Amino acid sequence: MIGNTDWSTMYQHNMKILKLDSKTVVPLPYDFDMTGIVNPPYSQVSNLVNIEMVTERLYRGYCREESLMQAIRQEFLELQPEIWARVEAHEAMMDKGDYRNFSSYLQEFFDIIGNDRAFESQVLMDCRK
């Protein structure tokens, strides 16, 4: 959603592991300045990925069962109104151009997951095996 290529679960780069119980762990990324949604003027893309700019989308998640991926997709789509409400609540705190770019980048994410073909080609087919 935010276009973050500057973290790794394997190397625990810019993330911590949050242990919820004896069987459940969640990666907790931080340091979002190199994300596509922030897109600062000093942003740089890791040489480990095949994109030129942080605003280019590249899904790097590991392949999971399609039913799980579809369930997560639906969860994001269901949360879309709440996410937009939170974004819009902070519009006054942002420069107009930054807000426009932020919103456009976020909308691109929802356009991808809201379209069956785009979701298949840019997420399901691009996952890391």
Side-chain angles (χ1 to χ4, degrees), residues 22-127:
S22 63
K23 295 181 182 180
T24 308
V25 295
V26 176
L28 187 62
Y30 57 85
D31 192 8
F32 302 116
D33 65 331
M34 294 295 180
T35 62
I37 204 161
V38 174
N39 190 25
Y42 58 83
S43 64
Q44 296 178 354
V45 177
S46 167
N47 60 0
L48 302 175
V49 295
N50 192 23
I51 59 175
E52 305 262 331
M53 299 169 45
V54 295
T55 53
E56 289 181 62
R57 291 192 176 276
L58 174 67
Y59 182 70
R60 297 193 68 226
Y62 290 103
C63 296
R64 301 286 188 247
E65 289 182 27
E66 186 173 346
S67 61
L68 175 62
M69 298 296 284
Q70 291 291 351
I72 294 167
R73 174 189 184 197
Q74 288 307 312
E75 188 174 344
F76 272 107
L77 290 170
E78 290 169 12
L79 288 170
Q80 185 175 1
E82 183 179 337
I83 292 169
W84 279 116
R86 290 175 187 247
V87 168
E88 290 163 2
H90 293 88
E91 180 177 3
M93 298 177 182
M94 298 177 74
D95 171 83
K96 287 187 188 306
D98 289 341
Y99 181 80
R100 187 175 44 251
N101 292 337
F102 185 97
S103 298
S104 176
Y105 194 81
L106 185 59
Q107 184 59 56
E108 182 182 76
F109 167 76
F110 285 115
D111 290 345
I112 291 168
I113 67 167
N115 179 292
D116 291 339
R117 270 188 246 189
F119 182 74
E120 182 175 349
S121 68
Q122 295 181 49
V123 178
L124 297 179
M125 303 301 287
D126 274 353
C127 63

Side-chain angles (χ1 to χ4, degrees), residues 11-23:
Y11 299 107
Q12 293 190 13
H13 174 68
N14 283 342
M15 59 87 60
K16 300 284 184 190
I17 300 292
L18 181 63
K19 188 173 180 178
L20 300 180
D21 57 42
S22 63
K23 295 181 182 180

